[in-house]
Every structure is written in structure tokens, then in C-alpha cells.
């Protein structure tokens, strides 16, 4: 019914993103990118490439996600959200951990009270085998979260377990499970008894 346009494709992509239909979202993001390149490249902002990177990551296409996050950071080197997302994605994959740490530390420096960024910093430090250094950041993330976050408490549990504090680990995992059922967290809790 409507002529193809950047705005139509972009907002359709965001709608599919909201529905967690990432392949469809990506199809529309890419169509928006093609239209913008042909008509008005200024529409291809760091935010646009951030959205494209996030949809790619959620679809499981990590190489493509990395390329889009890098493009976002080329356009806006101080874009804290993109630094954090890329760093956390690498951390979750267990790759480029030192680079991930650098990016996440820059994001935290830009937004020191951002709970998600603090959790990312705790998680990369944990993955780098620095649980004692990770713990204060994880606890601060829990304290600053607008509402309790299951992932943050799961991370706190893992950090306490690495620090040989099993009772505190179990308490954190129980809190995580009370917020959101998760079979992996349940297994950790069972194994720690």
C-alpha cells in the first residue's frame, strides 16, 4: 500500500525487533540501509547500526553483529551503549576478553551508575578470572538496577562460588530463580548443595 521508504522499513524493523522476530527485523533493517544509501546516507547513524547489531546478535549472527557494532562505533566512538553491548557479546562468547574489558570500562567511565554496564564489567572480570575484582561491580549493579535482575543475581552467584562462598552463591542463585525460572541456574543451585 505504501511506497518503500527508509522510515517505513526502519520502523517495521523495530516492530519486528519488539516481537523478537529477528530474521524479519534484519530483512527490514537491511532494506532501510539500501534505501538510505541510495537516497540519504545521513540516515545511517550510529543508532541505526546499533539496532542492526543488536538484531544480528539476537539472531545469533555474531560476526555480522560485531561488524555493525564496529560501524556504530566508527560513527560515534564514545557511544557507550554500543561499547557495552559489543563487549558483553564478546564476554558471553569467551572471545576477545581483554578488548571486551577495555570497551566495557570505557562505557562504565561514561556512565558510572549504569547497572547494565556495571554488570558487564563484573562479568568480563569474572571471565578473566578476577572474581574478587568483579564482586563489587556486580553488587553495585544489583543495587543500582531499577528492578531486580535475574541475570545480575546469577552472575553474583557465580562470582561468590568462584570466591569459595557457597552460601552466598546459593542465596544469589535463589534470588535469580525467584525473578525468572532458568534451568542452568537451577542446575548450579542443585550442584552446590
Amino acid at each position: 500500500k505504501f511506497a518503500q521508504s527508509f522510515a517505513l522499513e526502519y520502523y517495521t524493523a523495530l516492530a519486528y525487533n519488539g516481537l523478537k522476530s529477528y530474521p524479519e527485523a534484519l530483512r527490514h533493517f537491511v532494506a532501510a540501509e539500501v534505501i538510505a544509501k541510495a537516497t540519504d546516507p545521513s540516515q545511517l547513524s550510529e543508532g541505526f547500526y546499533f539496532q542492526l547489531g543488536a538484531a544480528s546478535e539476537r539472531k545469533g549472527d555474531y560476526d555480522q553483529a560485531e561488524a555493525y557494532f564496529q560501524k556504530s562505533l566508527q560513527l560515534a566512538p564514545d557511544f557507550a551503549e554500543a561499547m557495552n553491548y559489543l563487549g558483553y557479546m564478546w564476554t558471553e562468547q569467551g572471545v576477545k576478553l581483554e578488548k571486551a574489558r577495555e570497551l566495557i570500562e570505557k562505557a562504565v567511565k561514561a556512565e558510572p551508575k549504569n547497572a547494565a554496564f556495571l554488570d558487564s564489567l563484573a562479568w568480563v572480570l569474572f571471565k578473566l578470572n578476577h572474581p574478587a575484582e568483579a564482586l563489587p561491580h556486580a553488587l553495585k549493579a544489583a543495587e543500582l538496577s531499577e528492578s531486580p535482575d535475574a541475570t545480575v543475581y546469577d552472575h553474583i552467584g557465580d562470582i561468590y562460588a568462584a570466591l569459595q562462598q557457597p552460601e552466598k552463591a546459593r542465596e544469589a542463585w535463589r534470588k535469580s530463580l525467584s525473578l525468572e525460572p532458568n534451568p542452568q541456574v537451577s542446575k548450579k543451585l542443585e550442584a552446590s548443595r
Side-chain angles (χ1 to χ4, degrees):
K1 291 185 178 182
F2 299 100
Q4 231 189 354
S5 71
F6 173 82
L8 184 65
E9 293 295 336
Y10 181 67
Y11 289 112
T12 301
L14 290 178
Y16 277 115
N17 229 4
L19 295 169
K20 296 181 171 29
S21 180
Y22 303 115
E24 269 311 295
L26 282 168
R27 204 167 60 76
H28 289 281
F29 276 129
V30 170
E33 183 184 32
V34 168
I35 292 165
K37 280 181 176 174
T39 59
D40 183 5
S42 71
Q43 293 173 307
L44 300 175
S45 66
E46 68 277 5
F48 175 82
Y49 284 109
F50 175 82
Q51 292 289 344
L52 208 40
S56 298
E57 184 271 338
R58 289 177 183 131
K59 181 178 172 249
D61 189 345
Y62 303 115
D63 291 340
Q64 193 61 63
E66 180 179 334
Y68 288 133
F69 288 131
Q70 296 281 19
K71 179 81 173 157
S72 179
L73 289 167
Q74 276 175 355
L75 294 168
D78 295 328
F79 188 8
E81 205 173 344
M83 286 188 271
N84 180 66
Y85 204 130
L86 178 56
Y88 188 79
M89 182 181 84
W90 283 337
T91 303
E92 280 289 281
Q93 293 176 288
V95 300
K96 302 181 185 179
L97 292 176
E98 283 300 339
K99 274 183 163 180
R101 179 182 181 166
E102 283 174 36
L103 283 177
I104 294 166
E105 283 176 340
K106 281 186 195 173
V108 168
K109 190 172 181 191
E111 295 182 31
K113 291 191 171 166
N114 185 312
F117 296 0
L118 288 164
D119 177 58
S120 296
L121 181 56
W123 198 232
V124 76
L125 289 167
F126 171 79
K127 292 283 193 163
L128 286 164
N129 275 332
H130 302 301
E133 201 180 330
L135 184 61
H137 298 295
L139 294 174
K140 188 86 172 155
E143 180 191 315
L144 292 173
S145 291
E146 284 180 27
S147 57
D149 184 295
T151 301
V152 171
Y153 283 101
D154 178 26
H155 290 168
I156 291 170
D158 289 359
I159 293 165
Y160 274 130
L163 293 170
Q164 308 297 312
Q165 296 183 41
E167 195 43 57
K168 286 186 175 181
R170 285 191 289 273
E171 186 184 323
W173 288 326
R174 279 193 289 271
K175 175 76 173 172
S176 176
L177 287 169
S178 75
L179 298 167
E180 184 180 295
N182 181 315
Q184 282 84 16
V185 178
S186 293
K187 280 181 194 161
K188 287 187 245 187
L189 189 56
E190 286 302 312
S192 73
R193 290 174 198 258

